Amino acid sequence: MSTLYLVSTPIGTLEELSPRAVRILKEVDLIAAEETRHTAKLLNHFEITTRTTSFYDHNKGQKTGKVIDALVAGDVALVSDAGTPGLNDPGYLLVRAALDAG
């Protein structure tokens, strides 16, 4: 069974990203990011080459199904620009859809 990881990203310096978060971001099949350009700085710093897709307020309706399809096929990580995704950002919709999809 695939896993949707909610990965907290640093609010301050990039070095605050936990080793576990780095490992997960390297191992998942897809990273759904609130802002891919912002997330690219973090991924480049840690030499993470995992495929990314944008997932933000204005495209969440279009992207939710595609990310759920990716989740059926493999593990997905959800990241926001800073902090933990899930409540006050588009991540809530994705988490709800993943739960509904089982």
Side-chain angles (χ1 to χ4, degrees), residues 1 64-65 67-69 71-72 93-102:
M1 170 168 267
T64 298
V67 176
I68 294 298
D69 289 344
L71 183 58
V72 169
L93 180 64
L94 181 59
V95 171
R96 183 78 257 157
L99 290 169
D100 291 344

Side-chain angles (χ1 to χ4, degrees), residues 6-101:
L6 305 181
V7 179
S8 296
T9 56
I11 294 171
T13 64
L14 294 177
E15 288 78 22
E16 293 175 353
L17 189 65
S18 74
R20 180 174 185 236
V22 172
R23 180 183 55 80
I24 288 170
L25 293 174
K26 286 182 177 184
E27 291 177 356
V28 295
D29 300 300
L30 177 69
I31 298 170
E34 186 175 2
E35 171 55 67
T36 55
R37 291 171 293 191
H38 183 82
T39 302
K41 294 174 189 174
L42 178 81
L43 300 179
N44 289 336
H45 179 80
F46 289 99
E47 299 178 349
I48 298 169
T49 59
T50 305
R51 182 173 59 103
T52 62
T53 190
S54 62
F55 191 84
Y56 56 93
D57 272 330
H58 298 293
N59 76 357
K60 64 186 176 191
Q62 301 166 291
K63 291 282 186 115
T64 298
K66 292 176 183 179
V67 176
I68 294 298
D69 289 344
L71 183 58
V72 169
D75 293 337
V76 174
L78 173 65
V79 299
S80 61
D81 287 347
T84 304
L87 293 179
N88 292 320
D89 59 40
Y92 174 81
L93 180 64
L94 181 59
V95 171
R96 183 78 257 157
L99 290 169
D100 291 344

